[in-house]
């Protein structure tokens, strides 16, 4: 009997999570339509997304399994070590940093991660380019520019109306349109969360010396400051500040930006020269109260917008994508209704705990470290010193950050579904 639907899965949002999910679902044999108002060429413009992403080693296995690894590897910088330091007080360069630090070393979990580094730093524009190429070459029905304007999630189908008036229907619609997801709102899924009153300033710098594949995270009173190694002796800076200070850092001259860096870090970033535009991202927590609704599943930032302190937001989103693709593909192969409540509940049960636990953990971390009260400072310095001395605990953190814990979807083990 001919299918009453135009597609098997409707994916709203061709960002990093939506495009990866679409690719995984299509590779497994599902007929996918992918909708986004931003066509891929617009997403690749130098002014679109200046971020770089710390890709956990298990997430990189997924990109490899989807055929993106070879194109990304020349642009992926190994992160062999991560140094976390309770940073300097304001006024900065002249004052001594706290002696408290944490050191994570890939060698310590060598066997568990097959000798891989802790993760790879890759510029988002490179991931977007690899996804654009793979999606365009696939049989995904790409509707860009196209925008979801209406969603009906009633049995037996989800029906989505696009801005041009066309309508697509499928047993399930996947909301991957980021924090403002229309699909999530249409399904009546609420979010809980709050703003941090902080923004992340993102800049790429060329370094005056070799970074040695080491990532640094400093916890300053204004918020975390990360220096993340990139290929070609460059680094991506993620500098958290109050939203007003962040806007000023975005628009100031390169010379003034460099002077601010020196004031904070003394000669640590000596010789670093800014490259390209700077970007500002307001930071807020937004966690969906559920991952599914009738004929609906949400993934990525549509489901959980978290603070970038641990570089895990996209890793969580890609784990959602892997889990959901696996659940839907297996249901299709068993001849089940892929959009039924029973099928979608398998996805929700798989991902709910991990997402809530990580979002809460990062939130607590930011609060603990964005505080300069002496007793709080003492407590966290003692905590860091303790974790640093206890090898097994440190290894637990590393495996968690590598995304290799828990019930892993096949793609994160490097296998196609
Ligand atoms: C400063 C900073 C640093 C970060 N660093 C890291 C890191 O190191 N590691 C990590 O794992 N994560 C990191 N993250 C988090 C990561 O960037 C996000 O989790 C990720 O980009 C979210 O991707 P997404 O595809 O879910 O959502 P988005 O990137 O928001 O994409 C949503 C897509 O939906 C489209 N869309 C919007 N409305 C509609 C509509 N009506 N119809 C159809 N499509 C629509 C948009 O055009 C867009 O393409 C960082 C975040 C920030 C702010």
């Amino acid at each position: 009997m001919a299918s009453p639907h135009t597609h098997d899965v409707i994916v709203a949002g061709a960002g990093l999570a939506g495009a990866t999910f679409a690719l995984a679902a299509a590779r497994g044999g599902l007929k996918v339509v992918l909708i986004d108002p931003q066509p891929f060429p617009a997403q690749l413009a130098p002014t679109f997304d200046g971020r770089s992403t710390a890709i956990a080693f298990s997430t990189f296995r997924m990109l490899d399994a989807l055929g993106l690894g070879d194109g990304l590897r020349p642009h992926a910088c190994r992160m062999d070590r991560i140094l976390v330091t309770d940073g300097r007080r304001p006024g900065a360069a002249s004052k001594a940093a706290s002696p408290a630090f944490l050191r994570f070393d890939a060698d310590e979990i060598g066997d568990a991660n097959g000798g891989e580094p802790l993760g790879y730093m890759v510029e988002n524009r490179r991931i977007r380019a690899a996804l654009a190429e793979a999606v365009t070459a696939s049989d995904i029905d790409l509707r860009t520019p196209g925008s979801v304007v209406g969603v009906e999630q009633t049995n037996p189908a989800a029906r989505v109306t696009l801005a041009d008036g066309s309508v697509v229907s499928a047993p399930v619609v996947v909301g991957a349109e980021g924090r403002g997801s229309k699909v999530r709102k249409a399904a009546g899924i609420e979010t809980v969360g709050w703003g941090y009153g902080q923004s992340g300033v993102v800049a790429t710098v060329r370094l005056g010396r070799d970074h040695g594949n080491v990532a640094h995270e400093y916890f300053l009173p204004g918020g975390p400051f990360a220096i993340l190694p990139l290929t070609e002796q460059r680094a991506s800076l993620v500098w958290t500040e109050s939203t007003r200070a962040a806007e000023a850092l975005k628009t100031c001259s390169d010379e003034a930006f460099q002077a601010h860096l020196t004031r904070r870090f003394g000669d640590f970033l000596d010789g670093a020269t800014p490259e390209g535009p700077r970007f500002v991202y307001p930071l807020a927590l937004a966690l969906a109260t559920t991952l599914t609704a009738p004929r609906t599943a949400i993934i990525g930032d549509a489901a959980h917008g978290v603070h970038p302190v641990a570089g895990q937001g996209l890793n969580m989103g890609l784990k959602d994508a892997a889990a959901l693709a696996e659940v839907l593909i297996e249901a299709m192969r068993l001849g089940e209704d892929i959009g039924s409540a029973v099928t979608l509940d398998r996805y929700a049960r798989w991902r709910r705990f991990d997402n809530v636990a990580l979002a809460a953990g990062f939130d607590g971390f930011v609060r603990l470290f964005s505080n300069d009260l002496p007793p709080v400072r003492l407590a966290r310095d003692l905590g860091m010193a303790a974790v640093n001395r206890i090898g097994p605990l440190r290894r637990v953190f590393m495996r968690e950050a590598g995304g290799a814990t828990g019930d892993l979807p096949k793609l994160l083990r490097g296998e196609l579904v």
Side-chain angles (χ1 to χ4, degrees), residues 52 77 121-123 204 211 228-236:
S52 297
C77 182
M121 280 305 303
V122 190
E123 287 153 278
T204 303
H211 51 53
L228 305 160
L230 293 177
T231 54
E232 300 165 36
Q233 210 172 300
R234 295 168 308 144
S236 173

Side-chain angles (χ1 to χ4, degrees), residues 252-312:
C252 68
S253 66
D254 280 359
E255 293 70 29
F257 185 72
Q258 218 158 354
H260 282 299
L261 283 179
T262 308
R263 200 162 62 80
R264 288 274 180 186
F265 287 98
D267 57 9
F268 185 81
L269 280 171
D270 207 15
T273 45
E275 275 195 354
R278 291 185 285 274
F279 299 79
V280 171
Y281 299 89
L283 304 180
L285 172 74
L287 188 61
T289 51
T290 167
L291 294 176
T292 58
R295 301 281 158 199
T296 306
I298 52 174
I299 62 170
D301 276 20
H304 42 71
V306 297
H307 196 289
V309 61
Q312 288 294 325

Side-chain angles (χ1 to χ4, degrees), residues 393-417:
L393 196 53
R394 242 184 9 255
R395 286 191 280 278
V396 167
F397 276 114
M398 283 189 270
R399 285 194 200 105
E400 190 61 50
T405 52
D407 183 9
L408 281 190
K410 282 188 184 150
L411 279 167
L412 283 134
R413 287 185 254 135
E415 300 161 26
L416 275 176
V417 188

Side-chain angles (χ1 to χ4, degrees), residues 11-19 35-38 43 48-49 51-56 121 124 128 146-149 176-182 200-202 228 238 281-283 299-308 310-317:
V11 186
L16 298 172
I35 306 160
D36 200 298
Q38 301 284 352
Q43 293 191 28
F48 187 81
D49 182 356
R51 289 170 297 185
S52 297
T53 294
I55 303 272
M121 280 305 303
N124 284 12
R128 288 180 191 278
S147 186
V148 169
V149 292
E177 324 98 300
R179 289 168 181 257
S181 171
K182 273 214 165 71
V201 182
V202 173
L228 305 160
V238 183
Y281 299 89
L283 304 180
I299 62 170
D301 276 20
H304 42 71
V306 297
H307 196 289
Q312 288 294 325
L314 180 63
N315 287 289
M316 290 162 73

Side-chain angles (χ1 to χ4, degrees), residues 193-196 284-287 305-310 356-370:
W194 37 81
Y196 290 106
L285 172 74
L287 188 61
V306 297
H307 196 289
V309 61
V356 173
L358 288 178
F362 303 149
D363 186 63
F365 217 62
V366 171
R367 285 166 196 281
L368 181 65
F369 278 90
S370 297

Side-chain angles (χ1 to χ4, degrees), residues 36-360:
D36 200 298
Q38 301 284 352
F40 285 125
Q43 293 191 28
L44 300 180
T47 48
F48 187 81
D49 182 356
R51 289 170 297 185
S52 297
T53 294
I55 303 272
F57 65 83
S58 57
T59 311
F60 206 89
R61 283 185 203 152
M62 168 179 185
L63 299 175
D64 251 335
L66 291 174
L68 307 176
D70 287 348
L72 287 177
R73 213 162 261 111
H75 309 293
C77 182
R78 290 173 64 95
M79 264 195 306
D80 287 324
R81 236 180 303 147
I82 302 176
L83 291 179
V84 182
T85 311
D86 195 0
R88 302 157 203 253
R89 294 176 176 83
S94 59
K95 294 186 181 167
S98 150
F101 70 93
L102 265 170
R103 180 191 166 117
F104 299 109
D105 209 315
D107 288 345
E108 279 194 73
I109 52 163
D111 289 343
N113 68 350
E116 289 285 313
L118 295 170
Y120 294 89
M121 280 305 303
V122 190
E123 287 153 278
N124 284 12
R125 67 190 171 99
R126 300 287 188 187
I127 312 175
R128 288 180 191 278
L131 280 168
E133 195 181 332
V135 167
T136 312
S138 74
D139 56 5
I140 293 170
D141 179 2
L142 190 56
R143 306 281 181 102
T144 59
S147 186
V148 169
V149 292
V151 193
E152 274 174 55
Q153 292 121 311
T154 47
N155 276 325
R159 281 165 58 84
V160 165
T161 307
L162 280 72
D164 64 3
S166 59
V167 176
V168 287
S169 68
V172 58
V173 58
V174 176
E177 324 98 300
R179 289 168 181 257
S181 171
K182 273 214 165 71
V183 168
R184 185 190 67 222
K185 288 178 192 160
I189 299 175
E190 308 218 324
T191 56
V192 290
W194 37 81
Y196 290 106
Q198 296 176 328
S199 288
V201 182
V202 173
T204 303
V205 293
R206 187 162 291 279
L207 296 171
R209 58 180 162 210
D210 185 14
H211 51 53
N213 298 342
V214 181
H216 295 267
E217 178 117 31
Y218 289 90
F219 285 99
L220 306 176
F225 186 116
I227 305 168
L228 305 160
L230 293 177
T231 54
E232 300 165 36
Q233 210 172 300
R234 295 168 308 144
S236 173
L237 308 183
V238 183
W239 183 343
T240 316
E241 273 293 354
S242 71
T243 298
R244 233 179 57 196
E247 283 301 333
L249 284 168
K250 179 186 172 186
T251 47
C252 68
S253 66
D254 280 359
E255 293 70 29
F257 185 72
Q258 218 158 354
H260 282 299
L261 283 179
T262 308
R263 200 162 62 80
R264 288 274 180 186
F265 287 98
D267 57 9
F268 185 81
L269 280 171
D270 207 15
T273 45
E275 275 195 354
R278 291 185 285 274
F279 299 79
V280 171
Y281 299 89
L283 304 180
L285 172 74
L287 188 61
T289 51
T290 167
L291 294 176
T292 58
R295 301 281 158 199
T296 306
I298 52 174
I299 62 170
D301 276 20
H304 42 71
V306 297
H307 196 289
V309 61
Q312 288 294 325
L314 180 63
N315 287 289
M316 290 162 73
L318 296 187
K319 225 175 193 179
D320 298 341
L324 182 60
E326 188 168 326
V327 164
L328 299 187
I329 293 165
E330 283 183 350
M332 173 199 63
R333 290 185 184 155
L334 292 170
E336 296 173 355
D337 174 357
I338 67 168
S340 73
V342 176
T343 304
L344 297 181
D345 195 48
R346 277 182 219 142
Y347 162 65
R349 274 188 282 121
W350 200 348
R351 293 298 301 142
R352 190 166 35 213
F353 177 75
D354 196 33
N355 283 337
V356 173
L358 288 178

